[in-house]
Amino acid sequence: MLVEVAVAAAVRGTFTYRVPTALAGEVALGQRVAVPFGRSKRATGYVVGFPTAPPAGFELRDVVQVLDAFPPFTPKLVELLRWAEGYYLCPPGELLRAALPPGLNTRGGADAPDRRRVEYAAPAPGAAEALPGLQRARAQRAVLEYLLARGRIPVDELRAALPTARAALGALVKRGLALLDSEVPVARSGLLEASGKVANPTPDQARALEAIDAAAGTFTPFLLHGVTGSGKTEVYLQAIARARAAGRGALVLVPEIALTPQLAGRFRARFGDEVALLHSGLSDAERHAEWLRLRRGQARICVGVRSAVFAPVEDLAVIVVDEEHEGSFKQEDGPPYHARDLAVVRGRLEDAVVVLGSATPSLETLENARRGRYRLLELPIRVDDRPLPEVEVVDLSGGRRAGRAPSAGMLSPPLAGALATTLQAGQQSILFLNRRGYQSLVLCESCGAEARCPDCAVAQTHHARRGLLLCHYCGRSDPMNGLCPACGGLRFGVGVGTEQVEEAVRALLPTARVARLDRDTVSSADDTAEVLARFARRELDVLVGTQMVTKGHDFPGVTLVGVVLADTALALPDFRAAERTFQLLAQVAGRAGRGADRGRVLIQTFNPRSPAITHAVGHDYAGFAAGELARRQALGYPPYTRLLAVRVEGSEAGARRTAEALAHAARPALGPGVSLIGPAPAAIERIRGRSRWHLLLRGPDHRSLLAAHRAMARVAARPPGGAAVRFDVDPHAML
Ligand SMILES: [Zn+2]
Ligand SMILES: [Zn+2]
């Protein structure tokens, strides 16, 4: 008996081994095995096929051991992985590794504890009064705040939101501030918990559900385009409830669980222990345990991030990709897969319904809907007919010409006024700026030298509170002492960051309770959840932050959203800059007015006539998309072409040499309509002291790029300049 094995190493292709008679009964498709590989006596591999004849000219070696009692991959998953290998042309072993929970890569097929009962945590009566006493115990405080905000919840949900909650919860129980109990999961006994009550669908939701229902059992991809606050999650929940009623499984992919604990919580509340969570906030052991529950069929619904597209859900009926336009579905190191695209492929292999949901669908997905590949479902109005917020533009360029430049922290008079009015009305505000730190650029007034990271070709950001100049690429920090190291001249900073905005808000509104949410103020998922929980309980009036404040939070008290500077993302040298800006503006604007009071959004910009901004003002996704698609078509960018980015990193001479060798290999292999751009130094020429070059291959479709891709892959296996080469199929980041 022969098996085809993908070895968990950075090698392309698969290898054939012989199965000794003693192991013949144990080997199955998707099984993990130990095999001799190269000089190593034992390497981990996965059975991906059963060839009938051995390859000519190779001496066959034997499988040493079968590593699990059952194969970690279902046959459908093996099919998906093989498809991905052919599409992304990456080493199959690397994909298989990315697809498994980290615990399984390092250990044997360990058993997880059998969990027939679900543990619940709840705040003890009177626990709220004890909060001030927990000032020093930050972890305990965060857990208790979360419990006070959410009530009695499964411990799993708590740990999804606060990964280190376990120890803190134990301490709270000892202090008598929290209660633990457990019971047989409600969902299994066929009842729904009170907190998971099923809402009556709106007419639009009902229409969407009908279409999804009618497609059950066949591969049908849908684009669920619903404005912010239109109730997309309820459509997901009810579609999955119907799949479960038929005894089938579901997979839900979300961009980031730490920022959206509410969403994971809603699935838990509705389906109890049938939900397994897979995300990076869990420990390896916890992820492994959740994965095993799915593999054994104990959990039938998986809610997870990018890599959960490989989750072993059996008999998959529904696949949901929430916020399908989000960039975090694209893997930026390791195998360059896009989880949304793989979700659609998996749906085809499993005859499942695929629902891609977004308020601002990616142009790739929209184009697929326009061509009839995906069916379009629309939720054009918010639930309870709540109006979309009123969006106004504050033209900063006009203000500058008229000598009315915004004050420190970029708070223009209209934005400052709106903040004050909102505070007086007892309502909450969110201020968004896509740039952390105090000042983004520090210059010498004598010689003009800018503070740059010596290891990376980028400007350092001034972080005033810490008195440091930081590089946001490598983390290098230098003291900010105000004098130019080159000439001793005085230095000054320009360009506003979130730290400066926060300071300006405190100066403007001394009585307001202000917090900032960015990677400088929070270092863990716990911290993030703590800030968000305080904001949700209305213990804060103003929240200043980066993208972290734009995600799918639902804060009914927020009536004002201010975009401090919309231009930061527009200026990037990336063909998706306008699309990303529009998506960001629409997402952050969608945070306003989700409660009873109408929301207001102020967008400050120096480019008030940019289409991304004018269409965001009008809530006009269709108008923006039409213009942007026409522009992409004229310029030959996706979705009308396909791209392959080749990134080269190495010594200054080596990166250049390798890049030139790649181009040399690609040129004779360019088919009709395929062009090669570069090689050229990347937009950021150096990171961590390593030179970066890139090449871009552009062709009419994916297939047209394969020949040149293969030719370059042969060079990359032995790069003449010794540089590292990464092939990025359908690239997202262009820097
Ligand atoms: Zn100087
Ligand atoms: Zn650096």
Side-chain angles (χ1 to χ4, degrees):
M1 183 188 183
L2 300 174
V3 285
E4 186 183 359
V5 173
V7 178
V11 288
R12 280 161 213 277
T14 53
F15 303 87
T16 303
Y17 289 87
R18 200 166 40 209
V19 181
T21 329
L23 297 178
E26 294 176 46
V27 172
L29 193 66
Q31 188 79 271
R32 211 160 53 111
V33 289
V35 291
F37 185 71
R39 263 175 247 128
S40 150
K41 285 211 182 94
R42 273 178 79 98
T44 302
Y46 301 86
V47 176
V48 297
F50 296 96
T52 45
F58 283 97
E59 193 201 332
L60 279 180
R61 298 207 267 177
D62 281 355
V63 170
V64 180
Q65 196 191 346
V66 173
L67 293 173
D68 308 283
F70 56 85
F73 292 110
T74 62
K76 293 284 185 205
L77 277 174
V78 173
E79 241 182 293
L80 177 68
L81 287 157
R82 301 219 74 169
W83 184 92
E85 178 203 339
Y87 186 86
Y88 295 110
L89 292 189
C90 54
E94 278 185 6
L95 263 173
L96 288 154
R97 238 145 111 92
L100 284 176
L104 203 68
N105 285 320
T106 51
R107 279 188 279 151
D111 269 341
D114 193 5
R115 302 193 303 176
R116 270 163 311 191
R117 302 176 77 81
V118 175
E119 253 191 311
Y120 289 84
E129 286 86 82
L131 257 188
L134 292 176
Q135 215 55 268
R136 294 248 181 88
R138 290 190 62 205
Q140 290 178 42
R141 191 184 156 89
V143 168
L144 187 53
E145 281 182 334
Y146 194 85
L147 289 177
L148 287 167
R150 301 252 328 134
R152 179 172 176 270
I153 53 166
V155 173
D156 281 353
E157 184 202 325
L158 182 66
R159 280 193 299 179
L162 309 167
T164 56
R166 186 41 104 177
L169 184 60
L172 286 171
V173 171
K174 266 194 200 142
R175 289 181 178 216
L177 297 176
L179 306 171
L180 268 180
D181 65 315
S182 67
E183 64 179 43
V184 175
V186 185
R188 229 173 246 182
S189 56
L191 295 165
L192 292 174
E193 286 180 67
S195 60
K197 65 173 188 296
V198 179
N200 265 340
T202 64
D204 290 324
Q205 286 173 332
R207 252 192 304 280
L209 282 164
E210 230 166 79
I212 293 169
D213 237 14
T218 58
F219 165 57
T220 315
F222 290 97
L223 163 57
L224 178 63
H225 180 200
V227 298
T228 54
S230 61
K232 289 186 287 293
T233 308
E234 192 58 37
V235 173
Y236 307 153
L237 288 165
Q238 296 199 22
I240 291 169
R242 291 173 195 197
R244 286 302 303 126
R248 309 193 61 199
L251 172 62
V252 182
L253 298 180
V254 296
E256 232 172 324
I257 286 187
L259 288 173
T260 51
Q262 286 169 341
L263 185 78
R266 281 181 73 181
F267 279 90
R268 269 293 195 184
R270 192 74 59 95
F271 301 108
D273 201 29
E274 298 212 309
V275 176
L277 295 173
L278 287 180
H279 59 93
S280 55
L282 304 175
S283 70
D284 285 0
E286 287 169 328
R287 261 158 101 177
H288 186 205
E290 287 293 86
W291 183 89
L292 267 177
R293 289 205 305 129
L294 287 166
R295 186 67 188 91
R296 291 174 172 163
Q298 293 161 332
R300 300 297 308 279
I301 302 166
C302 174
V303 177
V305 295
R306 184 174 58 220
S307 63
V309 72
F310 302 110
V313 181
E314 295 272 13
D315 190 17
L316 200 46
V318 179
I319 302 177
V320 170
V321 183
D322 187 35
E323 310 288 358
E324 66 83 30
H325 64 276
E326 278 279 341
S328 64
F329 288 121
K330 179 72 162 68
Q331 167 96 9
E332 291 295 352
D333 44 23
Y337 69 88
H338 197 301
R340 174 201 60 213
D341 299 347
L342 282 187
V344 174
V345 175
R346 187 165 179 188
R348 178 162 55 75
L349 297 174
E350 308 234 18
D351 294 319
V353 168
V354 181
V355 182
L356 309 179
S358 176
T360 52
S362 67
L363 294 179
E364 282 86 352
T365 297
L366 178 69
E367 184 61 15
N368 277 323
R370 294 194 347 169
R371 290 184 196 171
R373 288 189 194 145
Y374 298 172
R375 288 177 57 190
L376 179 63
L377 304 171
E378 289 181 290
L379 304 177
I381 48 176
R382 287 184 154 186
V383 287
D384 300 335
D385 279 326
R386 270 175 216 138
L388 283 164
E390 197 181 309
V391 184
E392 301 150 53
V393 164
V394 179
D395 182 355
L396 297 177
S397 67
R400 183 139 293 188
R401 271 197 299 276
R404 290 185 285 109
S407 61
M410 299 282 288
L411 300 182
S412 66
L415 182 55
L419 282 166
T421 315
T422 307
L423 180 68
Q424 271 157 21
Q427 288 163 337
Q428 293 175 295
S429 306
I430 289 178
L431 285 181
F432 161 65
L433 176 62
N434 203 5
R435 205 152 64 183
R436 62 200 171 90
Y438 193 81
Q439 288 154 329
S440 55
L441 189 60
V442 171
L443 297 163
C444 169
E445 63 173 27
S446 307
C447 74
E450 64 178 69
R452 287 170 82 85
C453 173
D455 301 324
C456 311
V458 293
Q460 283 176 304
T461 302
H462 178 209
H463 290 246
R465 201 165 297 172
R466 295 159 68 191
L468 291 176
L469 287 167
L470 287 184
C471 170
H472 287 180
Y473 282 85
C474 72
R476 184 194 159 102
S477 68
D478 294 295
M480 170 67 184
N481 55 15
L483 294 183
C484 171
C487 75
L490 281 176
R491 295 201 285 188
F492 64 100
V494 293
V496 171
T498 45
E499 188 182 343
Q500 194 176 151
V501 175
E502 182 196 4
E503 184 189 271
V505 173
R506 289 185 191 280
L508 176 76
L509 308 170
T511 60
R513 298 161 299 171
V514 183
R516 172 156 58 99
L517 190 62
D518 59 32
R519 271 191 289 147
D520 296 318
T521 57
V522 295
S523 55
S524 67
D526 282 12
D527 296 345
T528 307
E530 184 186 334
V531 174
L532 293 174
R534 279 168 61 207
F535 195 58
R537 286 201 312 276
R538 305 184 75 151
E539 292 171 15
L540 296 167
D541 302 306
V542 184
L543 187 61
V544 178
T546 53
Q547 281 108 309
M548 295 171 97
V549 302
T550 67
K551 307 293 174 191
H553 315 299
D554 201 346
F555 302 117
V558 174
T559 56
L560 175 67
V561 166
V563 177
V564 176
L565 188 61
D567 314 36
T568 50
L570 268 180
L572 294 175
D574 185 330
F575 72 90
R576 285 196 182 86
E579 182 183 3
R580 290 218 179 96
T581 300
F582 178 83
Q583 284 163 349
L584 260 174
L585 293 177
Q587 288 292 330
V588 69
R591 300 310 114 218
R594 294 173 80 99
D597 301 296
R598 180 149 196 206
R600 186 173 173 209
V601 180
L602 292 182
I603 298 177
Q604 303 194 125
T605 176
F606 288 101
N607 294 288
R609 276 161 297 282
S610 146
I613 289 167
T614 54
H615 289 105
V617 171
H619 301 288
D620 184 9
Y621 171 80
F624 171 75
E628 183 63 13
L629 281 174
R631 199 181 67 94
R632 297 266 184 98
Q633 193 155 28
L635 297 174
Y637 277 118
Y640 301 102
T641 56
R642 291 303 189 97
L643 301 177
L644 168 70
V646 188
R647 309 177 199 285
V648 183
E649 228 181 87
S651 67
E652 204 170 334
R656 180 191 194 118
R657 222 177 124 209
T658 297
E660 279 164 358
L662 289 166
H664 185 74
R667 275 188 204 108
L670 300 179
V674 178
S675 56
L676 174 70
I677 303 157
I684 297 169
E685 285 182 40
R686 203 158 20 90
I687 291 183
R688 291 189 176 84
R690 307 248 294 163
S691 286
R692 304 169 81 233
W693 281 65
H694 64 182
L695 301 90
L696 195 64
L697 211 55
R698 171 157 67 180
D701 51 31
H702 177 74
R703 191 179 297 257
S704 70
L705 305 176
L706 282 174
H709 187 166
R710 288 208 181 92
M712 287 190 282
R714 282 192 287 274
V715 173
R718 275 182 206 82
V725 180
R726 181 166 187 269
F727 295 98
D728 192 356
V729 179
D730 304 330
H732 262 233
M734 301 305 288
L735 294 177

